[in-house]
Amino acid sequence: MIFRVLGPLTVAGAPAPGGPRVQALLTLLLLDAGRTVTAERLVDGLYGDEPPAGAANALQSQVSRLRRVLPDGVAVEHSPAGYRLTGAGPDDVDALRFERLVREGARAGAAGDPVRAEGSLREALALWRGPALADVRDAPYADGQVARLDALRTDALEEWAAARLASGGDPVPLVRELAEAATAHPLRERLRALQIRALAGAGRQAEALAVYEEVRGALADELGADPAQELAEAHLAVLRGEPSGAAAVRPAPVAGPRPVRPPVPLTDFVGREGERKRLAALLTAARLVTLVGPGGAGKTRLALEAAGDGAVFVDLGAVGPGEVAGAFARALGVRDAAPDRLVQALVDRPVLLVADNCEHVVTEAAVLVRQLLAGCPDLRVLATSREALGVTGESLLPLAALAPRAAEELFVRRGAAARPGFTGHARVPEICAALDGLPLALELAAARLRTLTADELADRLGDRFRLLSRGDRTAPERHRTLAAVVEWSWELLTEEERTLAARLSVFRGGATTEAVARVCGLDTADAEDLLVSLTEKSLVERLLTETAGAAGAPGTAGTPTSGTPTSRTPTSGTPASGTPASGTASAGTASAGTVTAGSGVAVPGSEAVGTDDEGLGVGGLGGGGLGVGGLGAAPGVDGRYRMLETVRAYAAGRLPAADPAHAAHTAHCLRLARAADPELRGAAQQAWLARLDADEPNLRAALRRASPEDGLRLVAALTPYWWLRGLRGQVAGLAAELLGAVERAGLTGAQDLGEEYALCVLAAGARDEERIARARALLTERTEPLRQPFTAFLWATTVGPEARLPVPDDAWSRALDLVGQGHLALARDDAATARERLAEALTEFRALGERWGTATALEGLAALSADPLPLFAEALALFESLGVAEDIVDLLGRRAAVHTAAGDGDAAAADLARAREVARRAGLPDPIDPMDPTDPPGPQDPTGLTGLTGLTDQKDLTDPAV
């Protein structure tokens, strides 16, 4: 044993080094050895109600001092959740060993083995060398801990005395111990009854009778009460001369004959109406139902709502291994915890038994529940757990995040309780989304409104574990802080699971099994096994994404499940399903099957579209448009795994900065982006757009983390995707940050990255003339064709035409050149040439199967047609299938002008309203209103495509006539 706190504080047999604060900090960490203690709790424990200014720094200073005096092999580990003492387990701390031995002794006594109970309890009591926490009694936390340990010591003394008497041991050693305890607790009746029996067993009957009279008189004088049954029986046994052995000693009192009823909640129930109805139906149809979900999802609260007053409530949160049957016995009011006695107590009784918090004793709970259900036909069990029990016939109801509206309602209600008058705030949806819609996290956050504004709360959620470190003082330890909620689950993982969970934190928005295997250094089979295990333990969600089955039929995107079956059989179950996550949208794909790029990245051809970070559902910006042009997808399901952001943040704090997963994730995203780039200009365009949509948060994370060189390469590969999805405005800030890093690294003149630098300048908004000039020089000095066909197009439409660009000679670039020539001819009023070039371009783009180019050519031809509306409709459907907001807004504005010219004001107004909504959601300027004379007329070519003409010969654009 390394550390001793039950008496003077010693470390490895010597007095503890350090000053009072260091010793107090050490003791506080020792009482939770192996578990993380939040910084907030440590500050409160060291400084009480008057922490110093800069309490976090003061704590860090004390931690540093403590680290210097710890023995070899013992350290203080820091994470976002707090501090943890490593290298010292529960058996290395006398107080924790004492608690374990007391539990073992109590279990042995309840199981009818007084000899083993006496040995465990005697060993436990021998660990005490003096008053608990003797050297840190002045610490603010000391009083509470000392009272707890002293009470447990007195309980252990009673249990030891009862076990020694029951086993026939010598009662003489008991007499002195019990007399000392009786001095401190003169009215503790069980203690005094044991003292009477010990005295009688030692042949000191007169003293025993005197003790009884002393206690009887004190009870009458001080409490006005008569002796309880156990004390009276001990007195009577002495008078009758009965032995003080096993037959005479009563077991420790257990829960009374009345079963434990579910606790009554103190707050109203918000949300989960659908789950409540499904749970009621399941409880009618099944005998074992388990609510599964992450910590803080509200499993216990939903169980209480469904159970009603007549249920029996078993709280397993505080029990350890081997203690489950005892907890069931206490809840049922049964003295004997043997399974057959529990069955006898329940047989022929129509009882609903709620077993709460099963995850840390899941195997033991599952075995007992199965025995009870097998022997009690009228019994039903409702369990809550972060992991399924895995019992045949078990029906599961997974609980995910609250729906956005319910989450916001819960936050506002709890916020009003914390700050009277609070009725909501514009940033409440942001707060709820950041906290994953978890009810416990929302309630912890709402409680902070006592001292913070909603803006301050939202701004500080980046450090969520420190922010949400004060909860209900009466709640179980695992539910008092956000960090404790996650840590409870984390501690139940195997080492392999913890390693994968930590590495999984590099992903944002989820990942496929193959991506996880590649980034985390596993083979696919091992990755799949570990991901399934993490999903079953509610640390990871599996997203089932079902795509459209026919052209124009919407699919379901991003439906999270717990990954566990809704019903268990000896073989397998059916995956749980739910409703689409809010804010998602879906799109058809170019083809079914699998598209494989040269890099080896396999992309399902029927994958649904997710959402970007800002919540704009790509692919759903207009009505219909899915599966346009006969390119519908066959039905399919794509499973991705993701962590809730709260879990991901905790796991990220456990991942070392030098872990190879960081670099592997960046490399994976660069491979994916490069594999997708050429496919975005062909028939597989939509399949690859959907693939990039699913990984868009990952791509952004990789761009933030990448070196300047890899960052530029990522920008170049992702440029077409950002254009086609209308995301340029959303990535401009990231591109600007990258430009700063590139310039600090001295890479602005690197010719091998010149094109990439130019694309980054364009992505950042092309506002800096110096950067534009530098980018122009890098582009025009190239001797080889541009690697990215979109470069010339974006330069022409953003900065202006440049005759010296070495444009690549690929089919897509040639088709786009034809579009540019058509618009230039249109600008010269050469309608015949314009129509010819645009028709050629349309043929080329259709042959490639590329939707954006096809829609662009159709839009140009509409300007030359006597009946442009059908061409506009086809182009709009293609643009909408891609989700390219700029082109949708532009085309709707142009079509509104056609309707206005035709005198159809209603149709024009409808198009303008639709255009404004798309522009609002995408952060674009309002479209020009052709019916409003105050709006300036738009350019003849609103798309700017005249800037494309002559991509192979741009000198025409210097013609003054143009």
Side-chain angles (χ1 to χ4, degrees):
M1 193 172 310
I2 304 175
F3 301 98
R4 308 193 75 172
V5 300
L6 299 178
L9 178 61
T10 65
V11 177
R21 283 254 162 78
V22 169
Q23 292 184 3
L25 174 61
L26 173 60
T27 303
L28 191 51
L29 290 170
L30 286 172
L31 293 173
D32 276 292
R35 301 182 68 83
T36 300
V37 184
T38 66
E40 188 80 23
R41 185 175 155 208
L42 291 174
V43 169
D44 287 345
L46 292 179
Y47 302 106
D49 295 331
E50 298 180 358
N57 292 333
L59 173 62
Q60 183 60 51
S61 176
Q62 298 298 336
V63 170
S64 298
R65 293 189 180 98
L66 175 59
R67 284 172 172 154
R68 289 196 290 268
V69 300
L70 287 174
D72 292 342
V74 181
V76 179
E77 177 187 277
H78 179 252
S79 73
Y83 294 86
R84 182 168 69 116
L85 197 68
T86 62
D91 271 359
D92 295 318
V93 183
D94 60 354
L96 302 185
R97 181 175 175 81
F98 166 72
E99 293 184 43
R100 178 179 64 78
L101 289 169
V102 170
R103 289 195 298 269
E104 290 177 359
R107 285 198 298 270
D113 188 350
V115 174
R116 186 158 61 90
E118 193 272 341
S120 295
L121 292 161
R122 176 167 28 87
E123 182 182 352
L125 291 167
L127 294 171
W128 286 72
R129 300 168 296 110
L133 313 189
D135 290 341
V136 295
R137 286 291 181 104
D138 292 334
Y141 66 84
D143 288 347
Q145 290 289 349
V146 167
R148 181 182 68 84
L149 289 168
D150 284 347
L152 187 58
R153 183 185 189 183
T154 303
D155 290 343
L157 177 63
E158 289 180 349
E159 294 296 334
W160 173 60
R164 189 173 183 89
L165 291 171
S167 64
D170 183 3
V172 173
L174 295 177
V175 173
R176 182 175 59 84
E177 297 284 347
L178 293 172
E180 292 179 359
T183 301
H185 306 283
L187 297 182
R188 188 164 173 134
E189 293 185 73
R190 184 167 190 250
L191 176 67
R192 303 308 296 267
L194 289 165
Q195 183 187 15
I196 290 170
R197 292 188 183 278
L199 286 167
R204 298 160 65 175
Q205 283 81 0
E207 292 179 59
L209 293 173
V211 167
Y212 175 77
E213 291 301 326
E214 174 194 338
V215 178
R216 185 182 66 79
L219 288 171
D221 293 342
E222 297 186 28
L223 303 179
D226 293 326
Q229 182 180 358
E230 184 173 6
L231 187 60
E233 288 180 355
H235 176 240
L236 186 60
V238 175
L239 294 175
R240 291 174 175 173
E242 294 175 355
S244 59
V249 179
R250 294 169 59 89
V254 295
R258 297 183 61 187
V260 176
R261 298 304 181 193
V264 178
L266 301 180
T267 55
D268 55 340
F269 187 75
V270 179
R272 302 276 191 219
E273 289 303 321
E275 290 94 334
R276 182 155 55 173
K277 292 177 181 177
R278 285 196 292 275
L279 179 55
L282 284 173
L283 288 172
T284 301
R287 297 183 59 214
L288 172 58
V289 180
T290 303
L291 295 173
V292 292
K299 301 181 293 294
T300 299
R301 184 58 191 273
L302 180 58
L304 294 177
E305 289 294 317
D309 295 335
V312 175
F313 187 78
V314 186
D315 185 1
L316 298 177
V319 307
E323 299 174 352
V324 171
F328 273 67
R330 287 190 295 274
L332 290 166
V334 177
R335 293 186 182 278
D336 195 335
D340 57 337
R341 296 300 299 273
L342 294 176
V343 169
Q344 290 177 16
L346 288 168
V347 71
D348 298 328
R349 290 175 59 188
V351 175
L352 173 62
L353 194 152
V354 179
D356 194 33
N357 298 305
C358 297
E359 56 272 351
H360 61 299
V361 286
V362 64
T363 301
E364 191 177 339
V367 171
L368 181 58
V369 165
R370 183 186 179 99
Q371 290 176 300
L372 296 179
L373 289 170
C376 308
D378 294 326
L379 174 67
R380 291 175 299 140
V381 176
L382 172 58
T384 75
S385 178
R386 303 185 191 187
E387 179 179 0
L389 299 189
V391 175
T392 300
E394 178 183 26
S395 292
L396 301 182
L397 180 56
L399 290 190
L402 283 173
R405 186 170 297 175
E408 292 161 24
E409 181 183 357
L410 175 64
F411 181 84
V412 171
R413 286 197 193 184
R414 301 298 184 258
R419 177 186 285 180
F422 180 77
T423 58
H425 190 276
R427 299 186 72 179
V428 167
E430 175 189 344
I431 293 169
C432 295
L435 294 174
D436 305 303
L438 289 177
L440 180 61
L442 295 173
E443 292 186 335
L444 289 170
R448 293 308 306 268
L449 291 176
R450 296 189 190 100
T451 56
L452 298 176
T453 67
D455 282 324
E456 290 170 334
L457 181 64
D459 291 340
R460 292 176 58 182
L461 282 176
D463 192 7
R464 65 188 63 203
F465 295 114
R466 176 172 296 183
L467 178 67
L468 306 183
S469 60
R470 296 189 181 188
D472 184 348
R473 291 187 178 92
T474 66
E477 183 73 23
R478 65 187 180 279
H479 279 170
R480 290 183 192 172
T481 70
L482 188 61
V485 171
V486 184
E487 185 184 7
W488 175 261
S489 295
W490 188 268
E491 294 298 329
L492 300 178
L493 301 180
T494 66
E495 194 59 40
E496 283 185 326
E497 290 168 344
R498 287 193 192 116
T499 299
L500 178 62
R503 290 179 171 172
L504 195 60
S505 68
V506 301
F507 288 96
R508 294 294 187 97
T512 62
T513 303
E514 293 74 15
V516 172
R518 173 176 288 175
V519 169
C520 298
L522 299 168
D523 64 46
T524 303
D526 287 343
E528 179 70 32
D529 288 345
L530 288 169
L531 285 169
V532 168
S533 181
L534 289 172
T535 302
E536 290 178 345
K537 294 179 179 179
S538 300
L539 268 296
V540 168
E541 287 183 329
R542 188 162 185 244
L543 303 178
L544 296 182
T545 308
E546 190 166 352
T547 63
T556 300
T559 303
T561 75
S562 68
T564 46
T566 55
S567 177
R568 279 191 182 267
T569 66
T571 54
S572 61
T574 304
S577 62
T579 56
S582 174
T584 58
S586 60
T589 55
S591 60
T594 300
V595 181
T596 306
S599 68
V601 180
V603 180
S606 56
E607 193 165 7
V609 175
T611 60
D612 57 74
D613 279 354
E614 282 68 26
L616 174 62
V618 292
L621 294 174
L626 300 178
V628 175
L631 299 177
V637 172
D638 170 49
R640 292 171 63 85
Y641 293 90
R642 76 169 182 193
M643 284 178 159
L644 294 176
E645 180 56 26
T646 295
V647 177
R648 195 205 65 78
Y650 183 91
R654 297 304 182 98
L655 185 68
D659 192 276
H662 295 292
H665 180 259
T666 301
H668 164 72
C669 289
L670 183 56
R671 279 193 301 269
L672 173 62
R674 284 178 163 174
D677 178 26
E679 304 294 342
L680 296 181
R681 296 183 292 279
Q685 183 182 58
Q686 275 203 305
W688 281 89
L689 283 172
R691 178 73 173 91
L692 293 177
D693 286 336
D695 273 303
E696 201 269 342
N698 280 317
L699 296 169
R700 290 199 195 200
L703 188 56
R704 291 186 180 96
R705 184 191 304 118
S707 65
E709 295 91 336
D710 282 344
L712 289 175
R713 295 181 183 110
L714 259 174
V715 167
L718 291 172
T719 291
Y721 168 67
W722 290 339
W723 172 266
L724 292 173
R725 282 304 196 214
L727 299 176
R728 290 186 304 159
Q730 297 173 21
V731 299
L734 275 176
E737 291 176 12
L738 177 59
L739 282 175
V742 167
E743 289 162 0
R744 287 190 295 273
L747 297 175
T748 54
Q751 185 60 51
D752 59 327
L753 292 172
E755 182 180 358
E756 288 80 357
Y757 176 80
L759 286 169
C760 194
V761 170
L762 297 178
R767 298 183 181 91
D768 188 307
E769 291 299 329
E770 182 179 345
R771 286 173 172 171
I772 292 172
R774 187 183 299 128
R776 179 182 286 110
L778 289 169
L779 289 177
T780 56
E781 291 170 6
R782 291 179 62 91
T783 57
E784 298 179 355
L786 297 170
R787 290 186 290 269
Q788 174 55 265
F790 257 88
T791 302
F793 160 67
L794 287 176
W795 190 270
T797 55
T798 305
V799 179
E802 176 55 62
R804 295 168 292 170
L805 294 186
V807 178
D809 186 25
D810 62 288
W812 186 86
S813 296
R814 290 194 298 271
L816 192 62
D817 175 56
L818 289 169
V819 173
Q821 292 181 35
H823 279 279
L824 180 60
L826 190 60
R828 290 170 166 166
D829 294 325
D830 185 354
T833 301
R835 187 176 291 107
E836 178 183 346
R837 296 291 183 270
L838 289 166
E840 290 179 42
L842 179 61
T843 300
E844 294 293 329
F845 280 126
R846 286 198 192 279
L848 289 170
E850 202 272 282
R851 293 183 172 214
W852 179 81
T854 300
T856 302
L858 286 168
E859 187 179 12
L861 286 169
L864 298 165
S865 173
D867 184 14
L869 293 180
L871 296 173
F872 276 140
E874 186 178 355
L876 181 61
L878 289 168
F879 282 145
E880 286 175 337
S881 73
L882 297 172
V884 55
E886 292 96 330
D887 288 306
I888 294 170
V889 172
D890 168 62
L891 194 148
L892 286 169
R894 299 184 69 188
R895 193 168 71 174
V898 171
H899 286 311
T900 299
D904 190 347
D906 291 343
D911 274 351
L912 280 173
R914 192 168 159 195
R916 289 191 181 102
E917 175 60 18
V918 174
R920 182 190 64 79
R921 292 172 61 191
L924 299 173
D926 276 349
I928 295 170
D929 185 351
M931 297 180 289
D932 187 348
T934 64
D935 266 356
Q940 184 174 0
D941 172 30
T943 64
L945 286 169
T946 51
L948 294 176
T949 189
L951 287 176
T952 54
D953 181 12
Q954 294 199 19
K955 62 182 181 297
D956 288 342
L957 289 176
T958 62
D959 186 339
V962 179

